[in-house]
Structures are given as C-alpha cells and as structure tokens.
Amino acid sequence: MWNSKKYDQLAHDTWPGAQNWFDALEFIFGSVFCIEVCLKMGGLKMEFWKKAWNWFDLGLVLFWILEASLRSLLESLPMDSSLLRIARLLRLLRLLRLARTVQGFDSLVMMTTALRGSISALLWVAALLTIVQMMFALLSNQLLMAYVLDKTQDLADRQNVFKLFGTFSRSMLTMFELTLGNWVPVARVLQETAGGAWVIFSIA
C-alpha cells in the first residue's frame, strides 16, 4: 500500500530479536517488583495492608504473574487479539508508582503543588471560555445562515459554509478550531465565500 520499504516490512524483520529483548526486560522488571512486594509483606506484616499503594503494587504484580503464566493459553484462545493488547496496556499503570517518589524532589513537589492549586482557576477559565465560544458560535451561525440559504450563491460554497457553521454543534466545533490555532482553513473558506470582512472575525 505504501511505496516505502519502511512500511512494507514486518516488525520482526525490521528489528530482529526485539521481542526476545522485550520479554527478557519484562521478566527482569516483573521479578524485581515481585521481590519488592514480598519483602514489604514480610517486613511490614499487617501494616502492609493499610496503605492503598501497597494494594496497588500487589495488584500489578499479580496481574503480571497471571499474564506471564497464561500468555500461551490466552494467545491460543479464539478471541480478538486487540482485547489482549488492551489488557496488556494495563501494565502501564506501573508508571503511577513514580508518583510516590515525587516527594523526594523539591522542584517536582513545587510544580505539582502549583498545578494542584490552579485546578479551580483552570475550571473557571474553561467555563468562561466555553460560554464565550457558545455566544460567538450562535452569532456566527445566525449571521451566516443568510448566506447558506441564499440560492443565488454557488451551491458548493454554501455547502462549505454549512459544514462549518450550519448548526450550533458545527459552529461550536469550528469555534474550538479557531481557538486552538487552526484558524487558517476557516478564514480561507469565509474569505472566499461569505466575504473578506469575515477574516477579521477569524483572526480576532
């Protein structure tokens, strides 16, 4: 389909032996996590079960043991392989373990504290921005519907404007495009159809 050797080769041909390396690394890290949990259970005893992070670590280790021991069986079952890949993505939850080490770095603690303190302000800003976008979406929809319904204009141009501002949902989506920086296609369509004055609206 692609005229490039880079996309025509299979994974094991592009990177021979990669699967063996990944399996070895997975076994090493899984074994380390398993040993860590066992040592914590033996050292902390009943205190081990009182912390949510310990339950989280234990769940990840048990999932790794189950997945590693039943991998051949799971792959042989008549099931969608995408479901198995999605289940394996749960192992990425191990990255959440790094959150516990943030307390050891002053700069990261300051950054995360600032982010946590700005959540309420961020929500209010998002709400205000959404309201403003709704107002302009309704305004542009009402103003441009006159052009869309004008049968003297070219049908293709009217259809292009309708795709952008024909309904409230379309207009709202277009406003998000303008806000996030993708204003050039919208400005081009409005300039070539509804008139050059709409360029000011697009870039304002």
Side-chain angles (χ1 to χ4, degrees), residues 70-100:
L70 300 179
R71 177 179 299 176
S72 58
L73 176 62
L74 293 175
E75 292 178 349
S76 62
L77 292 177
M79 58 181 298
D80 191 358
S81 60
S82 61
L83 297 178
L84 183 59
R85 288 194 294 268
I86 293 175
R88 289 177 177 176
L89 287 177
L90 294 177
R91 293 176 295 182
L92 295 177
L93 292 176
R94 295 171 183 167
L95 296 176
L96 295 179
R97 293 162 54 95
L98 296 176
R100 295 180 300 175

Side-chain angles (χ1 to χ4, degrees), residues 29-48:
F29 285 109
S31 300
V32 170
F33 290 150
C34 185
I35 294 173
E36 178 192 10
V37 171
C38 292
L39 291 176
K40 290 175 67 175
M41 293 177 65
L44 297 176
K45 295 182 173 59
M46 295 303 299
E47 293 293 328
F48 176 86

Side-chain angles (χ1 to χ4, degrees), residues 94-149:
R94 295 171 183 167
L95 296 176
L96 295 179
R97 293 162 54 95
L98 296 176
R100 295 180 300 175
T101 64
V102 171
Q103 300 299 328
F105 302 93
D106 294 338
S107 59
L108 292 180
V109 170
M110 183 181 301
M111 182 178 66
T112 54
T113 302
L115 290 175
R116 185 170 60 250
S118 62
I119 290 179
S120 60
L122 177 62
L123 293 177
W124 281 110
V125 171
L128 178 61
L129 182 60
T130 302
I131 294 174
V132 173
Q133 287 183 331
M134 290 176 61
M135 294 172 56
F136 278 97
L138 290 171
L139 177 63
S140 58
N141 171 259
Q142 293 299 316
L143 294 178
L144 288 170
M145 282 306 295
Y147 178 85
V148 173
L149 298 176

Side-chain angles (χ1 to χ4, degrees), residues 26-66:
E26 180 181 359
F27 178 79
I28 292 173
F29 285 109
S31 300
V32 170
F33 290 150
C34 185
I35 294 173
E36 178 192 10
V37 171
C38 292
L39 291 176
K40 290 175 67 175
M41 293 177 65
L44 297 176
K45 295 182 173 59
M46 295 303 299
E47 293 293 328
F48 176 86
W49 308 101
K50 296 181 179 180
K51 293 185 178 181
W53 277 114
N54 294 334
W55 284 92
F56 178 75
D57 293 342
L58 180 61
L60 290 180
V61 170
L62 292 178
F63 178 79
W64 172 74
I65 295 175
L66 180 65

Side-chain angles (χ1 to χ4, degrees), residues 162-187:
F162 180 82
K163 291 178 181 179
L164 295 175
F165 298 97
T167 62
F168 172 74
S169 59
R170 294 173 185 267
S171 185
M172 193 66 183
L173 179 59
T174 303
M175 291 307 303
F176 272 105
E177 285 189 86
L178 294 172
T179 305
L180 297 177
N182 191 27
W183 57 270
V184 177
V186 178

